Amino acid sequence: MRVGVFLTMGFLEAEAAPVLDAVRILRESGSEIEAFTIAKSRHGLEAAAGSLWTAKYALSARPRLDVLVIPGSKGLARAARDLQVELWLEEVWNDLQAVFLGANGPVFLGELGRAPALVAAHPAYASEVRRYAQIGHETAYAVGKITTTAGYLFLLGALLDHLQASGFDITPVLDQMALAFD
């Protein structure tokens, strides 16, 4: 399984890093899984907390994806309005098994007309997300292949649930990251 983490300017490291680390732990435990970062280009992107990340792949050179993770970001609406990003998503959409959205992820899909009607979002981003969808009271909602979350560890938890349902033993992740999800 290939998990792509889509980075945009101002993305939340607290959402991207745990996903990448969880997949690393699974891979080191012998699972057939990999994760990598992707972005419009391989230029450095400043994250929300100020770190600078360079995606492993630009959209034009990325490998096939099974799962797409979109961390919350201040730049999601702008990224979705970029024609190159829109065309890329259109190209990969049908082949994706699952899409996981972070704290304000519905903004990205909302700009592209793909947001579910009912979504989860972090309260700090509620006014922004409400322009695209109704926010429910749960920390995650799955509609078809799209799972919206309240972000942060809820994003990681939703992804781990998906991986477990797909046959992966997530115990090494839970043990090594000292996590307990209901």
Side-chain angles (χ1 to χ4, degrees):
M1 177 178 288
R2 290 182 169 172
V3 178
V5 179
F6 182 58
L7 304 180
T8 59
M9 189 60 76
F11 72 94
L12 296 170
E13 302 101 312
E15 292 183 1
V19 166
L20 295 167
D21 207 34
V23 172
R24 175 195 60 81
I25 292 166
L26 289 173
R27 188 180 63 250
E28 289 175 354
S29 298
S31 293
E32 295 280 330
I33 190 169
E34 66 175 306
F36 45 84
T37 53
I38 52 178
K40 180 179 174 184
S41 71
R42 293 205 63 238
H43 294 244
L45 290 168
E46 186 173 351
S51 65
L52 188 65
W53 289 35
T54 301
K56 183 170 184 174
Y57 295 105
L59 296 180
S60 60
R62 54 91 189 103
R64 177 189 56 78
L65 300 174
D66 300 306
V67 173
L68 176 61
V69 176
I70 303 174
S73 169
K74 295 175 184 175
L76 285 178
R78 182 176 172 202
R81 289 189 295 264
D82 184 292
L83 182 59
Q84 182 181 355
V85 172
E86 182 180 356
L87 292 173
W88 162 74
L89 189 65
E90 184 68 32
E91 177 187 334
V92 301
W93 189 261
N94 289 335
D95 294 330
L96 293 172
Q97 296 171 11
V99 177
F100 293 89
L101 304 177
N104 66 334
V107 168
F108 181 77
L109 291 186
E111 281 287 326
L112 296 166
R114 293 184 183 267
L118 181 66
V119 299
H122 191 280
Y125 299 99
S127 62
E128 179 185 19
V129 171
R130 278 193 193 99
R131 290 184 297 180
Y132 303 96
Q134 179 182 346
I135 300 174
H137 300 289
E138 301 297 325
T139 57
Y141 287 100
V143 178
K145 70 170 82 179
I146 302 169
T147 300
T148 60
T149 73
Y152 298 89
L153 288 180
F154 296 114
L155 174 62
L156 177 60
L159 176 64
L160 290 175
D161 286 346
H162 172 77
L163 294 176
Q164 187 173 41
S166 298
F168 290 92
D169 176 10
I170 64 168
T171 306
V173 175
L174 299 177
D175 289 347
Q176 190 164 336
M177 294 177 93
L179 298 172
F181 292 106
D182 292 334

